[in-house]
Amino acid sequence: MARALIVGLGREGLALARYLRRQGQAVVVCDGRPAEALAADAAVVRSLGATLIAGDDCPALVDFDTLYLSPAVSKEAPVVLAARACGLPVSSLTDLFFQICPAHIAGVTGSNGKTTTTTLLGRMVEAEGLVAHVGGNIGRPLLNEASSMAVSDWVVLEMSSFQLEWLGASPDLAVVTNLTPNHLDRHHGMEAYLEAKLHIVRAQRAGDTAVLNADDPYAPRFAQDAGGRVLYFSLASLPSDGAVLEGDMLCLRRGGYTLPVCTRRDLRVPGLHNVANALAAMAAAEVIGVEPEAMLQAVADFTGVPHRLELVRILDGVRYLNDSIATSPDRAGAALAAVEEPILLILGGHDKDLPWAAFSRSAVARCRGIFLIGEAQELIAEHLERAM
């Protein structure tokens, strides 16, 4: 009987345990949190016939055939270093899913706009009448659904840098929205962050496609590593076929001629960054075979995703917007640019070792008031004071 050790009990850990137990493997799940914090999931693990170890204890690695890591587990974690030292294969839910999935896979990554682009691309595929399975980092592991997928289906996966760094394959269709500093506390520098993201194109074959942001300075690095065809999207101009904003019109570019698809007014989510997201989805959708009419239908019906400039309520003429997914200065800056009214900003959270200077200048100029919360509030306050 194969023996698997899963480190990290989140959505992916539970999904992995469920799948591996169905395959008849012996499964042990370790999580560094105390037992009381894992009480709800512990019952699920036990019901699957797996073993859960809470806290800092970890069984001997020689007792296992494969180590599966949660995205939350760093490559520098002691268990990972020990596994590498003793030659124990290290994998992940995403890597395993790529091995067993019979459908075509479109993977979407980037620092900003992943969820919106993933969701909109899935809607475009469905509007064409094709079967789309949307998941990944968006909050829905698809591992246990793979057996019900057909070879003609499309899987649309949002993929984080943490999921990509253990990936031994690349999707048939890779979309990179942009690359700006993020998660540098985990990756220890922009170059390491880029290296993780490059996995989305590095194992592509001649028949695969990469859709890149022509306006992003890191696009040439992805194009250099891509093994197949490269298309682009742009808010300004295109070096080749893809999708481009021309005036007020979102267009496809095919073989030197331009095909209008929709106007900016058709897009119901605000901000120029969402225009870029829509262009990325359009360029990818055309590769899949989606016609412009279906793209327009999806764009016109799309009202956004939760926590991304989400309208919570309007009270006494004031709009309350939830943009809590904006966990980097670049994302927060894009939100400020998308809102026309005077802004009262609630800002803060965990410090990921990101640059704050440019955002601070924009926030000071744009906001009527800023209220700081969370562990990074003192750091952000220092940058805001320098920008005043």
Side-chain angles (χ1 to χ4, degrees):
M1 178 186 291
R3 302 159 299 173
L5 175 61
I6 300 171
V7 179
L9 182 61
R11 283 193 185 98
E12 290 200 6
L14 283 173
L16 263 169
R18 184 172 285 109
Y19 176 81
L20 295 172
R21 287 296 298 141
R22 286 175 177 170
Q23 305 309 305
Q25 296 195 33
V27 174
V28 174
V29 183
C30 293
D31 194 292
R33 290 173 292 174
E36 54 269 22
L38 302 172
D41 291 334
V44 178
V45 173
R46 286 193 295 269
S47 73
L48 297 173
T51 300
L52 174 64
I53 300 175
D56 296 330
D57 292 336
C58 187
L61 296 181
V62 293
D63 294 335
F64 299 94
D65 301 297
T66 308
L67 171 66
Y68 292 95
L69 296 179
S70 159
V73 180
S74 167
K75 295 176 78 169
E76 299 173 356
V79 66
V80 179
L81 299 178
R84 286 177 155 179
C86 70
L88 178 65
V90 179
S91 186
S92 67
L93 178 144
T94 303
D95 190 47
L96 179 58
F97 177 76
F98 268 69
Q99 295 173 34
I100 68 169
C101 178
H104 306 289
I105 300 178
V108 180
T109 197
S111 301
N112 308 307
K114 293 189 298 295
T115 302
T116 296
T117 303
T118 300
T119 305
L120 189 50
L121 177 56
R123 302 277 180 87
M124 290 179 179
V125 174
E126 291 171 344
E128 183 61 30
L130 303 174
V131 178
H133 307 270
V134 180
N137 191 57
I138 207 167
R140 181 186 170 203
L142 296 174
L143 183 65
N144 289 287
E145 300 175 36
S147 61
S148 64
M149 295 175 183
V151 294
S152 58
D153 294 355
W154 274 91
V155 172
V156 184
L157 286 180
E158 178 184 326
M159 306 182 74
S160 72
S161 59
F162 304 151
Q163 292 167 321
L164 285 166
E165 63 186 350
W166 293 108
L167 192 62
S170 290
D172 310 279
L173 172 58
V175 182
V176 184
T177 60
N178 49 62
L179 201 72
T180 60
N182 205 350
H183 304 298
L184 300 188
D185 56 333
R186 166 83 170 260
H187 291 292
H188 304 304
M190 196 65 189
E191 189 63 27
Y193 179 48
L194 171 62
E195 280 294 315
K197 292 289 192 181
L198 284 168
H199 281 85
I200 200 168
V201 297
R202 275 192 169 153
Q204 283 194 315
R205 298 155 295 185
D208 297 334
T209 303
V211 174
L212 307 178
N213 185 349
D215 306 329
D216 190 277
Y218 288 96
R221 291 287 300 273
F222 286 91
Q224 176 182 320
D225 280 21
R229 180 173 59 148
V230 177
L231 301 177
Y232 292 90
F233 65 95
S234 173
L235 295 171
S237 62
L238 284 179
S240 68
D241 288 352
V244 65
L245 178 66
E246 293 195 352
D248 197 42
M249 189 71 64
L250 282 72
C251 305
L252 292 171
R253 183 76 55 78
R254 299 174 175 171
Y257 72 91
T258 300
L259 178 65
V261 175
C262 64
T263 69
R264 285 191 63 176
R265 293 185 299 277
D266 294 317
L267 191 62
R268 298 169 64 184
V269 288
L272 196 59
H273 64 295
N274 278 319
V275 176
N277 294 335
L279 290 169
M282 286 168 46
E286 187 176 37
V287 174
I288 292 172
V290 178
E291 294 297 328
E293 294 78 12
M295 296 181 197
L296 172 58
Q297 177 186 332
V299 165
D301 292 342
F302 183 65
T303 58
V305 292
H307 315 302
R308 289 153 182 85
L309 284 176
E310 178 184 15
L311 180 62
V312 177
R313 70 181 301 186
I314 300 176
L315 179 64
D316 297 331
V318 177
R319 287 198 303 154
Y320 290 81
L321 301 175
N322 173 9
D323 197 51
S324 55
I325 199 62
T327 57
S328 72
D330 288 286
R331 287 187 184 183
L336 295 183
V339 176
E340 297 179 355
E341 302 98 326
I343 297 172
L344 295 175
L345 178 65
I346 301 173
L347 178 68
H350 170 66
D351 175 31
K352 297 191 287 184
D353 195 23
L354 304 180
W356 283 97
F359 168 80
S360 298
R361 290 191 294 271
S362 298
V364 168
R366 186 69 186 82
C367 298
R368 182 171 291 180
I370 302 175
F371 304 89
L372 299 178
I373 60 174
E375 68 177 58
Q377 59 181 291
E378 292 184 6
L379 172 67
I380 298 172
E382 293 175 4
H383 285 283
L384 291 173
E385 288 172 1
R386 292 190 200 119
M388 290 180 181

